[in-house]
């Protein structure tokens, strides 16, 4: 019928025409353009129309869609457009695109031209109502919970069951507003899901704030007034209006009166769609609770300035909106009642807290008079409430604490809570320590008194004192511990005018007692030792247990150095008598090191360090030795550290070597074995004596590594000598205590034999008495395992340990070596001779071979041979030799050997 026209449209539930609203039939409105280019476009079935739609930036676009909400994907950026989603009419909706009717797709028209003048806007007229709510669960545009309720339950609680049952349509009458950055944006509800969640047109996250709203007539009037002013100012010729939550449903005069005013000055095209779409060239927006308007004209068309006509106020008549607001008021009232009930419950809780509290709770006025007190008063202080009410609170405070308590009350009345300890007077007259907290009572901004909470802390204080005692005193001996000793020393050092002495006392070989008798028995003996040392120090000094078997003594107010020396001697004298425990006597010796303030240091670290250096020197000098610190000792300590550093690299640098001392058979007058002895030849220090570095290796733990090197080297060398024709030659290797107690020791011996090819019968392992006594059960099992392999085991330095004879019969041994201390002064009929005879006789009974060490004269060799000992070693026969010289000695086969 109109072949030159471009037709576009959509199913609408209502239209405005000729000063009235129509809801049936076909409504066609023509707008004439003289210069603008008109481009129609359409797309069916959600196919991507980008290649087909002749759209471009600029201009103004009218657009309609049936059910498609993802228009962003189909349209270019920067477009100005108005339009919407076709509404359902008899459960059907369609759009018209030029000559086609489309059931699912997009249709529209774009107007482009330099003379085209347009203005697009989106108006809303919703005003917030009720309180603010918080979104508690959401994901993008899907909202699951508000205030902890499902969305359906939330609407039912605040807007009523009828509104909740008609979601999402009912949400348009009182839409939610999203509050962010000082702005409230209406939210459109697109869909209600079976899980009672909703899909909306905005993104909400957990914690966002929302609020209900209602249609505000004054806001509607303002939006129409603004449109009228733009129309009047610029003189537009056409007005296109698309809305969903139509004003006609909300207000008595609806849109009739405003649009009738507009129609006097321009053509008006207004329809009500399912949802409106709006873009001002930046973002595309969907909504079902606002109105979008486009004003158009061309510069070639005459414009007229119109006289402004007044717009009348509107009255709200939307029944659904009124019902929703009524329910919102009801729900808010219920919340106030709930709040009142909550306040009553809070009051009851406070009453329970006050009356059932096991601590003392009371209140006083600004004058300090007691105005309330809880029942705990009776059990804590013995008074009834009648006996204390209206009396001044300070009457019940111990006189020594009155002033402090008064000051704390005054500070609380200044608005600052106070916590402090004070003694309250029990009805019996006893003073009871309480921890008091005073809290100001503030009513209408004015302090009217104070609450007090009192906790009986007598048991707590005793517990704290016990903890403090444990922190500062040794549990076993009840002596001050290291921490307290250092605190007392620091305090004493503040008096710089007085001299003082710091003393270290270390028990000799106490570890052996612990290891052999067990720690429980060792603790009993240590207590007895402590009592002896206490007797020696008395009240003249502070005695502390530094740790293990070490004690420290602080002797303040020292007049002369000899006073410290006399105290140290008293300690040694007190320990001379044996300590008897379970009918066994134990003899205790000590080493003592002393430093003097201010000569040996000005602070704790220096005095403690130097006293310990002096102790180390005393321990090396022998039992019951006392040493005062000297500067030379520090040099020696540094030398010792330097020696340790060198020793750690000695194996790596191949500085260690073995010497071999022959062991001879006196009957056959030949060498039958040799003892491997380690030597250290350092490039800077020269030949270092084993007496220097072996104890250091023991202390540092290097002895295990060194011991394994000795074992492997000795086995390898002996195997070479046997290959030269000395098949009967055996090697004797010393084993350290740490090495022997290692759980890998037997395996390491087996590896040494396997690597060298030496037979087990050719290896003798020498252990000391003290080594086997550390853990007797373990030692016996270890010795049995070695003997099963065929290895011979000997006890070295026999006669120098504890309880030798009583333990000897229980140990699986092959050889016993008599210590050279018994040989050194050996004569035919002296005491040493008697001991040697007894040992030889005992060994014959135990089927043990005997080797006499330290033979230095021909006479000593003949004596032990007459006593029945056939094996010996010593300087008379040969000094220790390196492998080359020992090999020459074997080849010479002379006897007596070269010395």
């Amino acid at each position: 019928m109109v072949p030159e026209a471009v037709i576009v449209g959509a199913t609408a539930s209502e239209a405005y025409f000729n000063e009235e609203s129509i809801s049936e039939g076909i409504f066609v409105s023509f707008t004439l353009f003289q210069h603008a280019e008109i481009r129609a476009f359409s797309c069916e079935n959600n196919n991507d129309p980008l290649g087909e739609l002749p759209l471009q930036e600029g201009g103004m676009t009218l657009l309609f869609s049936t059910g498609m909400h993802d228009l962003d994907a189909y349209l270019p950026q920067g477009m100005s457009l108005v339009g919407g989603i076709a509404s359902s009419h008899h459960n059907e909706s369609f759009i018209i695109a030029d000559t086609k009717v489309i059931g699912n797709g997009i249709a529209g028209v774009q107007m482009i031209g330099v003379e085209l003048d347009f203005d697009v806007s989106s108006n809303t007229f919703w005003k917030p109502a009720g309180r603010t709510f918080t979104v508690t669960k959401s994901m993008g545009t899907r909202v699951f919970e508000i205030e902890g309720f499902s969305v359906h339950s939330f609407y039912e609680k605040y807007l009523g069951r009828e509104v909740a049952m008609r979601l999402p349509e009912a949400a348009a009458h009182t839409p939610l507003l999203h509050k962010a950055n000082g702005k409230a944006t209406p939210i459109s509800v697109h869909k209600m899901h079976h899980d009672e969640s909703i899909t909306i047109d905005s993104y909400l996250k957990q914690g966002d704030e929302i609020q209900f709203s209602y249609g505000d007539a004054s806001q509607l009037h303002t939006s129409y007034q603004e449109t009228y002013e733009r129309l009047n100012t610029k003189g537009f010729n056409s007005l296109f209006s698309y809305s969903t939550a139509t004003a006609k449903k909300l207000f008595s005069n609806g849109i009739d009166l405003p649009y009738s005013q507009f129609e006097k000055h321009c053509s008006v095209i207004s329809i009500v769609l399912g949802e409106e779409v709006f873009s001002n060239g930046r973002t595309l927006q969907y909504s079902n609770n606002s109105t979008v308007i486009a004003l158009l004209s061309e510069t070639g068309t005459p414009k007229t300035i119109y006289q402004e006509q007044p717009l009348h106020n509107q009255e709200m008549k939307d029944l659904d909106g009124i019902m929703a607001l009524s329910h919102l008021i009801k729900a808010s009232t219920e919340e106030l009642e709930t709040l009142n009930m909550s306040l009553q419950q809070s009051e009851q809780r406070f009453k329970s807290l006050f009356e059932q509290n096991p601590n003392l709770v009371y209140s006083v006025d600004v004058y300090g008079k007691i105005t309330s007190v809880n029942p705990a008063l009776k059990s804590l202080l013995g008074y009834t409430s009648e006996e204390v009410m209206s009396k001044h609170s300070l009457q019940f405070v111990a006189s020594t604490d009155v002033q402090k308590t008064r000051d704390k009350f005054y500070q609380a009345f200044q608005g600052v809570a106070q916590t402090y300890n004070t003694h309250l007077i029990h009805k019996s007259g006893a003073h009871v320590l309480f921890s008091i907290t005073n809290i100001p009572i503030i009513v209408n901004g004015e302090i009217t008194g104070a609450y007090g909470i009192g906790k009986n802390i007598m048991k707590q204080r005793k517990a704290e004192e016990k903890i403090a005692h444990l922190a500062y005193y040794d549990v076993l001996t009840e002596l001050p511990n290291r921490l307290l000793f250092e605190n007392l020393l620091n305090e004493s050092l503040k008096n710089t005018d007085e001299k003082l002495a710091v003393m270290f006392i270390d028990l000799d070989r106490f570890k052996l007692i612990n290891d052999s008798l067990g720690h429980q028995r060792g603790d009993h003996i240590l207590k007895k030792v402590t009592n002896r040392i206490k007797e020696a120090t008395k009240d003249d000094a502070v005695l502390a247990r530094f740790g293990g078997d070490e004690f420290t003594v602080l002797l303040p107010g020292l007049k002369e150095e000899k006073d410290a020396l006399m105290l140290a001697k008293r300690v040694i004298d007190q320990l001379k008598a044996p300590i008897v425990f379970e009918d066994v006597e134990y003899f205790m010796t000590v080493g003592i090191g002393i430093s003097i303030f201010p000569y040996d240091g000005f602070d704790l670290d220096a005095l403690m360090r130097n006293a310990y250096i002096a102790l180390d020197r005393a321990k090396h000098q022998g039992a019951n030795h006392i040493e005062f610190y000297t500067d030379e000792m520090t040099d020696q300590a540094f030398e010792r550290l330097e020696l340790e550093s060198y020793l750690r690299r000695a194996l790596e640098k191949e500085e260690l070597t073995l010497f071999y001392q022959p062991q001879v058979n006196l009957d056959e007058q030949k060498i039958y074995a040799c003892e491997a002895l380690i030597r250290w030849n350092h490039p800077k220090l020269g030949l270092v004596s084993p007496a220097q570095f072996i104890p250091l290796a023991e202390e540092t733990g290097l002895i295990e590594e060194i011991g394994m090197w000795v074992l492997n080297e000795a086995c390898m060398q002996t195997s070479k000598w046997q290959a030269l024709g000395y098949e009967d030659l055996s090697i004797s290797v010393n084993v350290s205590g740490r090495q022997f107690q290692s759980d890998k020791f037997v395996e390491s011996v087996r590896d040494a034999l396997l690597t060298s090819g030496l037979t087990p019968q050719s290896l003798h392992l020498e252990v000391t008495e003290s080594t086997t006594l550390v853990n007797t059960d373990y030692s016996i099992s270890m010795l049995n395992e070695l003997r099963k392999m065929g290895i011979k085991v000997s006890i070295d330095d026999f006669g120098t340990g504890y309880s030798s004879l009583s333990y000897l019969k229980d140990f699986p041994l092959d050889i016993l070596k008599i210590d050279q201390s018994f040989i050194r002064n050996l004569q035919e009929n002296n005491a040493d001779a008697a001991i040697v005879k007894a040992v030889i006789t005992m060994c014959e009974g135990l089927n043990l071979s005997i080797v006499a060490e330290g033979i230095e004269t021909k006479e000593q060799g003949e004596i032990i041979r007459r006593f029945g000992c056939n094996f010996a070693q010593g300087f008379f026969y040969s000094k220790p030799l390196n492998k080359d010289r020992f090999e020459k000695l074997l080849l010479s086969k002379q006897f007596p050997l070269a010395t």
Side-chain angles (χ1 to χ4, degrees), residues 140-322:
T141 59
R142 186 85 170 262
V143 181
F144 297 92
E145 289 183 6
I146 303 174
E147 295 282 320
F149 295 98
S150 70
V151 178
H152 184 277
S153 301
F154 171 74
Y155 270 93
E156 184 174 350
K157 174 178 174 62
Y158 289 100
L159 299 187
R161 181 174 176 79
E162 291 186 6
V163 172
M165 294 298 294
R166 291 195 294 111
L167 289 174
E169 293 82 4
H173 299 283
T174 51
L176 293 170
L177 300 181
H178 177 208
K179 301 178 69 176
N181 302 320
K183 183 181 178 183
T185 305
I187 296 172
S188 299
V189 179
H190 290 316
K191 186 175 181 180
M192 184 76 195
H193 299 279
H194 292 299
D195 63 355
E196 300 192 344
S197 65
I198 56 172
T199 297
I200 59 175
D201 65 344
S202 305
Y203 285 92
L204 288 180
K205 62 181 181 300
Q206 184 175 329
D208 281 351
E209 294 184 339
I210 57 175
Q211 199 171 3
F212 285 116
S213 65
Y214 66 93
D216 181 25
S218 62
Q219 205 164 321
L220 175 67
H221 170 79
T222 300
S223 66
Y224 283 150
Q225 191 71 36
E226 290 173 351
T227 302
Y228 192 82
E229 288 175 357
R230 292 198 302 277
L231 180 66
N232 189 29
T233 301
K234 294 190 175 182
F236 291 104
N237 299 120
S238 301
L239 183 150
F240 294 84
S241 169
Y242 306 105
S243 60
T244 47
T246 172
K248 183 176 180 64
K249 293 182 179 180
L250 291 172
F251 304 103
S252 57
N253 292 330
I255 60 172
D256 298 350
L257 182 61
Y259 281 178
S260 63
Q261 294 286 346
F262 296 155
E263 202 169 30
K264 293 176 183 180
H265 309 297
C266 66
S267 63
V268 177
I269 301 96
S270 175
I271 60 176
V272 178
L273 299 172
E275 189 172 338
E276 69 270 6
V277 180
F278 166 75
S279 174
N280 56 7
R282 291 187 295 274
T283 57
L284 192 66
Q285 300 175 15
Y286 303 90
S287 179
N288 59 12
N289 48 32
S290 61
T291 300
V292 295
I293 294 175
L295 300 171
L296 293 96
S297 66
E298 287 184 298
T299 54
T301 305
K303 297 181 181 180
T304 305
I305 302 300
Y306 310 104
Q307 182 179 357
E308 183 177 345
Q309 300 294 325
L311 296 177
H312 297 286
N313 291 334
Q314 308 294 320
E315 295 178 2
M316 185 171 181
K317 72 167 191 174
D318 177 20
L319 183 60
D320 288 339
I322 292 172

Side-chain angles (χ1 to χ4, degrees), residues 78 96 307 392 467 489 532 626 750 757 825 875 882 886:
I96 299 172
Q307 182 179 357
H392 202 284
I467 292 170
L489 177 53
R532 296 277 187 91
I626 303 168
R750 188 177 285 112
N825 300 315
F875 280 13
N882 62 31
F886 183 79

